[in-house]
């Protein structure tokens, strides 16, 4: 089996920088181009309610989730502290994502739009369900009440695999969401194909693809790993 690549540049710093850039980018798009965000609606415009969805989903399942995946390599302190940070940050990501899902569901209800008819919506719901199940299984097995040593050893490789898989799924969902929204707005003549907003959304999608590659590289690169940390904490 080929060895994991040795990273010769500050990959963790780049991941954090690009994660912040992605979160700032989607927030800038919602505020600057789409009129801001709101959890309540008025009769004139319901778009601020919709804007809550992409902002919280991207911040939760991409930016915060990426940080949580790397907590075992980036957080100083004991193994128990690293595990706690991993669980807490992913719980915050799950909570923000739940609000994001509620916002788009309410938006569709108020605008009389069908639910779950696009590939993006199928990917998004699947991602959130998998993420929630993954968090619950990890909490139950590795935190409280805690599984047996053999049970933890069996689940750990699958927990790591599904963590990466769900992160990639979150990136795919975000990119298809940006594409879907851009096409909808172009079809409705809200923006032009080569408008500044359309190019900004394309650039944000490319940024997410680059971010995903760096996160995966940081996970598989040599160094203290999630598997090593879990093994040490179970002994």
């Amino acid at each position: 089996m080929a060895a994991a690549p040795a990273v010769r540049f500050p990959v963790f710093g780049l991941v954090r920088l690009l994660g912040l850039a992605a979160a700032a980018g989607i927030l800038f798009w919602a505020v600057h181009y789409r009129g801001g965000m709101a959890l309540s609606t008025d009769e004139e415009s319901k778009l601020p309610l919709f804007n809550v969805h992409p902002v919280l989903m991207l911040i939760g399942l991409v930016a915060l989730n990426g940080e949580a995946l790397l907590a075992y390599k980036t957080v100083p302190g004991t193994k128990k502290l690293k595990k706690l940070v991993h669980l807490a940050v992913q719980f915050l990501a799950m909570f923000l994502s739940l609000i994001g899902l509620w916002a788009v569901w309410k938006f569709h209800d108020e605008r009389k739009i069908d639910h779950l008819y696009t590939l993006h919506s199928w990917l998004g719901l699947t991602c959130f369900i998998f993420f929630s199940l993954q968090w619950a299984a990890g909490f139950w097995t590795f935190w409280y009440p805690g599984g047996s040593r053999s049970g933890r050893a069996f689940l750990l490789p699958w927990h790591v695999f599904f963590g990466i898989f769900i992160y990639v799924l979150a990136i795919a969902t975000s990119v298809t969401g940006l594409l879907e929204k851009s096409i909808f707005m172009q079809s409705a003549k809200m923006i032009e194909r080569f408008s500044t907003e359309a190019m900004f959304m394309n650039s944000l999608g490319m940024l997410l693809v680059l971010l995903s590659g760096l996160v995966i590289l940081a996970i598989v690169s040599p160094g203290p790993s999630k598997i090593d940390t879990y093994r040490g904490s179970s002994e």
Side-chain angles (χ1 to χ4, degrees), residues 7-23 62-63 66-67 70 74 167 206-219 221:
V7 179
R8 306 298 184 187
F9 58 91
V11 64
F12 299 112
L14 279 176
V15 165
R16 186 155 295 166
L17 179 63
L18 293 184
L20 287 172
V62 174
E67 285 291 324
L70 299 177
T74 59
Y167 183 77
M206 294 300 295
L207 175 64
L208 293 175
V209 172
L210 177 60
L211 174 61
S212 68
L214 289 175
V215 168
I216 295 171
L217 177 62
I219 292 172
S221 63

Side-chain angles (χ1 to χ4, degrees), residues 138-194:
F139 182 89
W140 180 270
T141 305
F142 299 109
W143 187 258
Y144 183 83
S148 64
R149 179 171 297 185
S150 60
R152 293 195 301 269
F154 171 79
L155 182 62
L156 180 56
W158 290 105
H159 186 71
V160 174
F161 166 76
F162 277 109
I164 297 173
F165 171 73
I166 292 167
Y167 183 77
V168 172
L169 184 56
I171 294 291
T173 303
S174 299
V175 171
T176 56
L178 288 168
L179 173 64
E180 179 181 288
K181 185 64 175 177
S182 181
I183 291 176
F184 283 173
M185 290 193 297
Q186 291 174 33
S187 300
K189 306 301 181 183
M190 297 171 64
I191 62 173
E192 299 295 329
R193 289 181 178 177
F194 294 97

